[in-house]
Amino acid sequence: MIHEMKIALPVPKQAYAIFFVVILSLVRGVSYSTEIGIALEAPMAILALTFCADAYTQEITSKRSEIQRLCPRKKRMQSIYKRIMIQEMFLLADAAVGYGLFFLFQNPRLGRTGQESLESEICQFFVYFAAIIVTLGFWGLLSNLLSCLFRNMWVGIGGGLMLWLITNSSIGERYFGAWNLFSYSFRTLEDNNDFSWLYGKMVCICIGILAMATLPKIIEKRG
């Protein structure tokens, strides 16, 4: 695991991910605490796209893929899944810290919906945390899958970015509604009882499971 961690999380990679969240929390203005999750979700998806795209393709660029081919497929897949898990856990911690940084740097007002209790703020954070787990997992798996399919990290990032631009837009909100991949960001903030945005996250989960099931076949043929 330590070996995979060194490969999946080199120091420069950790540095730019932390720097990204710090800058975002400084320049992305929010007025209320309910807006923090919206300010973070889409940018964190972009970070996941770039962060996880090379979980396997770095073996190709470093000319280690031929050695990898000599290993049993099960061992190769375990290695890839470990790297993705390590990267996703780091990004999740980064996203949680980023949430706190918005309070530190901007001190947004609480209780946009009239609920100013500590309990409601904690609940709001856990809802965000659950949503961002799905968001990071989906976009990280997608970019890695496309990168493995085309044996090119930049194609994986570019393909994911195209989908990001479509879904994170007024067009995506209009046509996909609650089934949008960014349904959490487009939800109605004033209605705490509206959980229709969960449909979009279920779509992310289903596609993510499909991506994980497809990845071994892609690695076998294209790895």
Side-chain angles (χ1 to χ4, degrees):
M1 181 65 77
I2 295 177
H3 173 70
E4 301 298 347
M5 189 175 296
K6 289 180 179 179
I7 295 175
L9 290 178
V11 174
K13 208 171 190 179
Q14 296 181 49
Y16 88 71
I18 295 172
F19 181 75
F20 178 86
V21 170
V22 171
I23 295 300
L24 180 65
S25 62
L26 284 170
V27 302
R28 177 65 162 85
V30 297
S31 299
Y32 296 91
S33 59
T34 51
E35 299 171 359
I36 297 176
I38 296 174
L40 278 166
E41 187 186 24
M44 289 304 298
I46 287 285
L47 184 59
L49 274 175
T50 60
F51 204 83
C52 301
D54 67 343
Y56 179 74
T57 54
Q58 57 181 291
E59 300 293 340
I60 299 173
T61 55
S62 63
K63 310 299 182 182
R64 295 195 302 261
S65 59
E66 295 301 323
I67 299 175
Q68 281 278 339
R69 287 171 182 261
L70 300 177
C71 299
R73 189 181 74 167
K74 183 178 179 180
K75 185 177 180 180
R76 294 166 65 191
M77 293 311 306
Q78 286 177 346
S79 176
I80 295 172
Y81 287 141
K82 283 179 183 178
R83 293 179 192 180
I84 294 175
M85 181 188 69
I86 291 168
Q87 291 175 336
E88 294 286 359
M89 292 298 291
F90 178 84
L91 288 174
L92 186 59
D94 202 31
V97 171
Y99 194 94
L101 289 177
F102 272 90
F103 280 99
L104 178 64
F105 295 140
Q106 302 197 33
N107 192 27
R109 284 176 285 179
L110 308 180
R112 179 171 183 166
T113 58
Q115 299 178 355
E116 301 183 11
S117 66
L118 178 61
E119 291 78 8
S120 66
E121 289 298 321
I122 293 174
C123 180
Q124 181 177 284
F125 170 75
F126 280 115
V127 170
Y128 157 77
F129 195 72
I132 207 68
I133 287 174
V134 178
T135 298
L136 293 173
F138 171 79
W139 293 99
L141 285 169
L142 177 66
S143 66
N144 182 67
L145 180 73
L146 294 175
S147 297
C148 291
L149 179 62
F150 294 99
R151 295 174 59 85
N152 189 302
M153 178 185 74
W154 299 109
V155 174
I157 294 173
L161 182 59
M162 289 179 63
L163 181 61
W164 185 93
L165 289 171
I166 293 171
T167 53
N168 185 42
S169 65
S170 57
I171 295 176
E173 181 185 11
R174 186 182 312 118
Y175 286 100
F176 299 116
W179 299 94
N180 193 342
L181 302 177
F182 289 106
S183 56
Y184 172 79
S185 293
F186 290 118
R187 75 194 191 282
T188 303
L189 294 177
E190 291 75 15
D191 187 0
N192 287 333
N193 296 317
D194 180 18
F195 289 98
S196 61
W197 59 270
L198 290 173
Y199 297 144
K201 294 306 163 191
M202 287 301 299
V203 171
C204 291
I205 291 172
C206 292
I207 297 176
I209 292 173
L210 183 62
M212 291 184 68
T214 307
L215 187 58
K217 297 179 181 179
I218 292 176
I219 293 296
E220 185 177 7
K221 293 183 178 181
R222 301 284 293 167

PDB file of all heavy atoms in Angstrom, residues 175-187:
ATOM      1  N   TYR A 175     -32.434  20.421 -19.259  1.00  0.00           N
ATOM      2  CA  TYR A 175     -32.796  19.164 -19.905  1.00  0.00           C
ATOM      3  C   TYR A 175     -32.726  17.949 -18.984  1.00  0.00           C
ATOM      4  O   TYR A 175     -33.467  16.985 -19.159  1.00  0.00           O
ATOM      5  CB  TYR A 175     -31.910  18.935 -21.129  1.00  0.00           C
ATOM      6  CG  TYR A 175     -32.270  19.815 -22.300  1.00  0.00           C
ATOM      7  CD1 TYR A 175     -31.542  20.969 -22.590  1.00  0.00           C
ATOM      8  CD2 TYR A 175     -33.369  19.526 -23.102  1.00  0.00           C
ATOM      9  CE1 TYR A 175     -31.866  21.792 -23.653  1.00  0.00           C
ATOM     10  CE2 TYR A 175     -33.718  20.344 -24.169  1.00  0.00           C
ATOM     11  CZ  TYR A 175     -32.958  21.465 -24.444  1.00  0.00           C
ATOM     12  OH  TYR A 175     -33.309  22.286 -25.491  1.00  0.00           O
ATOM     13  N   PHE A 176     -31.845  17.980 -18.008  1.00  0.00           N
ATOM     14  CA  PHE A 176     -31.692  16.809 -17.141  1.00  0.00           C
ATOM     15  C   PHE A 176     -32.405  16.958 -15.803  1.00  0.00           C
ATOM     16  O   PHE A 176     -32.747  15.971 -15.172  1.00  0.00           O
ATOM     17  CB  PHE A 176     -30.199  16.518 -16.898  1.00  0.00           C
ATOM     18  CG  PHE A 176     -29.436  16.222 -18.147  1.00  0.00           C
ATOM     19  CD1 PHE A 176     -28.421  17.055 -18.576  1.00  0.00           C
ATOM     20  CD2 PHE A 176     -29.724  15.097 -18.900  1.00  0.00           C
ATOM     21  CE1 PHE A 176     -27.697  16.790 -19.734  1.00  0.00           C
ATOM     22  CE2 PHE A 176     -29.019  14.808 -20.053  1.00  0.00           C
ATOM     23  CZ  PHE A 176     -28.006  15.655 -20.480  1.00  0.00           C
ATOM     24  N   GLY A 177     -32.595  18.185 -15.365  1.00  0.00           N
ATOM     25  CA  GLY A 177     -33.328  18.424 -14.129  1.00  0.00           C
ATOM     26  C   GLY A 177     -32.704  17.713 -12.937  1.00  0.00           C
ATOM     27  O   GLY A 177     -31.501  17.798 -12.699  1.00  0.00           O
ATOM     28  N   ALA A 178     -33.538  16.993 -12.189  1.00  0.00           N
ATOM     29  CA  ALA A 178     -33.065  16.282 -10.993  1.00  0.00           C
ATOM     30  C   ALA A 178     -32.130  15.135 -11.324  1.00  0.00           C
ATOM     31  O   ALA A 178     -31.442  14.628 -10.430  1.00  0.00           O
ATOM     32  CB  ALA A 178     -34.262  15.760 -10.194  1.00  0.00           C
ATOM     33  N   TRP A 179     -32.080  14.736 -12.605  1.00  0.00           N
ATOM     34  CA  TRP A 179     -31.209  13.628 -13.025  1.00  0.00           C
ATOM     35  C   TRP A 179     -29.833  14.131 -13.473  1.00  0.00           C
ATOM     36  O   TRP A 179     -29.005  13.345 -13.915  1.00  0.00           O
ATOM     37  CB  TRP A 179     -31.871  12.860 -14.166  1.00  0.00           C
ATOM     38  CG  TRP A 179     -33.177  12.255 -13.764  1.00  0.00           C
ATOM     39  CD1 TRP A 179     -34.416  12.806 -13.928  1.00  0.00           C
ATOM     40  CD2 TRP A 179     -33.395  11.005 -13.104  1.00  0.00           C
ATOM     41  NE1 TRP A 179     -35.385  11.977 -13.425  1.00  0.00           N
ATOM     42  CE2 TRP A 179     -34.783  10.855 -12.915  1.00  0.00           C
ATOM     43  CE3 TRP A 179     -32.537   9.989 -12.662  1.00  0.00           C
ATOM     44  CZ2 TRP A 179     -35.341   9.748 -12.292  1.00  0.00           C
ATOM     45  CZ3 TRP A 179     -33.086   8.870 -12.048  1.00  0.00           C
ATOM     46  CH2 TRP A 179     -34.466   8.759 -11.865  1.00  0.00           C
ATOM     47  N   ASN A 180     -29.610  15.408 -13.344  1.00  0.00           N
ATOM     48  CA  ASN A 180     -28.323  15.992 -13.727  1.00  0.00           C
ATOM     49  C   ASN A 180     -27.220  15.458 -12.814  1.00  0.00           C
ATOM     50  O   ASN A 180     -27.432  15.219 -11.619  1.00  0.00           O
ATOM     51  CB  ASN A 180     -28.407  17.518 -13.612  1.00  0.00           C
ATOM     52  CG  ASN A 180     -27.241  18.223 -14.270  1.00  0.00           C
ATOM     53  OD1 ASN A 180     -26.200  17.625 -14.533  1.00  0.00           O
ATOM     54  ND2 ASN A 180     -27.400  19.502 -14.538  1.00  0.00           N
ATOM     55  N   LEU A 181     -26.031  15.296 -13.366  1.00  0.00           N
ATOM     56  CA  LEU A 181     -24.892  14.832 -12.567  1.00  0.00           C
ATOM     57  C   LEU A 181     -24.546  15.823 -11.470  1.00  0.00           C
ATOM     58  O   LEU A 181     -23.971  15.450 -10.451  1.00  0.00           O
ATOM     59  CB  LEU A 181     -23.674  14.598 -13.466  1.00  0.00           C
ATOM     60  CG  LEU A 181     -23.867  13.587 -14.607  1.00  0.00           C
ATOM     61  CD1 LEU A 181     -22.604  13.508 -15.462  1.00  0.00           C
ATOM     62  CD2 LEU A 181     -24.224  12.208 -14.052  1.00  0.00           C
ATOM     63  N   PHE A 182     -24.895  17.099 -11.671  1.00  0.00           N
ATOM     64  CA  PHE A 182     -24.667  18.135 -10.661  1.00  0.00           C
ATOM     65  C   PHE A 182     -25.988  18.562 -10.017  1.00  0.00           C
ATOM     66  O   PHE A 182     -26.189  19.738  -9.718  1.00  0.00           O
ATOM     67  CB  PHE A 182     -23.961  19.344 -11.289  1.00  0.00           C
ATOM     68  CG  PHE A 182     -22.535  19.081 -11.656  1.00  0.00           C
ATOM     69  CD1 PHE A 182     -22.165  18.925 -12.991  1.00  0.00           C
ATOM     70  CD2 PHE A 182     -21.559  18.966 -10.688  1.00  0.00           C
ATOM     71  CE1 PHE A 182     -20.849  18.678 -13.336  1.00  0.00           C
ATOM     72  CE2 PHE A 182     -20.233  18.715 -11.023  1.00  0.00           C
ATOM     73  CZ  PHE A 182     -19.877  18.565 -12.350  1.00  0.00           C
ATOM     74  N   SER A 183     -26.857  17.620  -9.791  1.00  0.00           N
ATOM     75  CA  SER A 183     -28.166  17.922  -9.208  1.00  0.00           C
ATOM     76  C   SER A 183     -28.053  18.551  -7.827  1.00  0.00           C
ATOM     77  O   SER A 183     -28.892  19.354  -7.435  1.00  0.00           O
ATOM     78  CB  SER A 183     -29.001  16.637  -9.118  1.00  0.00           C
ATOM     79  OG  SER A 183     -28.299  15.637  -8.375  1.00  0.00           O
ATOM     80  N   TYR A 184     -27.005  18.199  -7.081  1.00  0.00           N
ATOM     81  CA  TYR A 184     -26.808  18.795  -5.760  1.00  0.00           C
ATOM     82  C   TYR A 184     -26.601  20.307  -5.869  1.00  0.00           C
ATOM     83  O   TYR A 184     -27.149  21.080  -5.080  1.00  0.00           O
ATOM     84  CB  TYR A 184     -25.603  18.146  -5.063  1.00  0.00           C
ATOM     85  CG  TYR A 184     -25.187  18.817  -3.777  1.00  0.00           C
ATOM     86  CD1 TYR A 184     -25.891  18.588  -2.601  1.00  0.00           C
ATOM     87  CD2 TYR A 184     -24.091  19.677  -3.738  1.00  0.00           C
ATOM     88  CE1 TYR A 184     -25.517  19.212  -1.410  1.00  0.00           C
ATOM     89  CE2 TYR A 184     -23.704  20.298  -2.557  1.00  0.00           C
ATOM     90  CZ  TYR A 184     -24.417  20.062  -1.398  1.00  0.00           C
ATOM     91  OH  TYR A 184     -24.032  20.678  -0.228  1.00  0.00           O
ATOM     92  N   SER A 185     -25.839  20.735  -6.853  1.00  0.00           N
ATOM     93  CA  SER A 185     -25.576  22.160  -7.032  1.00  0.00           C
ATOM     94  C   SER A 185     -26.799  22.917  -7.531  1.00  0.00           C
ATOM     95  O   SER A 185     -26.966  24.106  -7.234  1.00  0.00           O
ATOM     96  CB  SER A 185     -24.415  22.372  -8.015  1.00  0.00           C
ATOM     97  OG  SER A 185     -23.204  21.910  -7.472  1.00  0.00           O
ATOM     98  N   PHE A 186     -27.666  22.233  -8.283  1.00  0.00           N
ATOM     99  CA  PHE A 186     -28.826  22.897  -8.861  1.00  0.00           C
ATOM    100  C   PHE A 186     -30.090  22.715  -8.023  1.00  0.00           C
ATOM    101  O   PHE A 186     -31.180  23.081  -8.473  1.00  0.00           O
ATOM    102  CB  PHE A 186     -29.079  22.372 -10.280  1.00  0.00           C
ATOM    103  CG  PHE A 186     -28.036  22.803 -11.279  1.00  0.00           C
ATOM    104  CD1 PHE A 186     -27.247  21.859 -11.933  1.00  0.00           C
ATOM    105  CD2 PHE A 186     -27.834  24.144 -11.553  1.00  0.00           C
ATOM    106  CE1 PHE A 186     -26.277  22.250 -12.844  1.00  0.00           C
ATOM    107  CE2 PHE A 186     -26.876  24.547 -12.465  1.00  0.00           C
ATOM    108  CZ  PHE A 186     -26.092  23.600 -13.118  1.00  0.00           C
ATOM    109  N   ARG A 187     -29.959  22.170  -6.827  1.00  0.00           N
ATOM    110  CA  ARG A 187     -31.131  21.938  -5.983  1.00  0.00           C
ATOM    111  C   ARG A 187     -31.707  23.260  -5.475  1.00  0.00           C
ATOM    112  O   ARG A 187     -31.054  24.306  -5.525  1.00  0.00           O
ATOM    113  CB  ARG A 187     -30.755  21.040  -4.792  1.00  0.00           C
ATOM    114  CG  ARG A 187     -29.965  21.737  -3.715  1.00  0.00           C
ATOM    115  CD  ARG A 187     -29.347  20.729  -2.755  1.00  0.00           C
ATOM    116  NE  ARG A 187     -28.811  21.381  -1.563  1.00  0.00           N
ATOM    117  CZ  ARG A 187     -27.667  22.033  -1.510  1.00  0.00           C
ATOM    118  NH1 ARG A 187     -26.928  22.146  -2.598  1.00  0.00           N
ATOM    119  NH2 ARG A 187     -27.245  22.570  -0.383  1.00  0.00           N
TER     120      ARG A 187
END
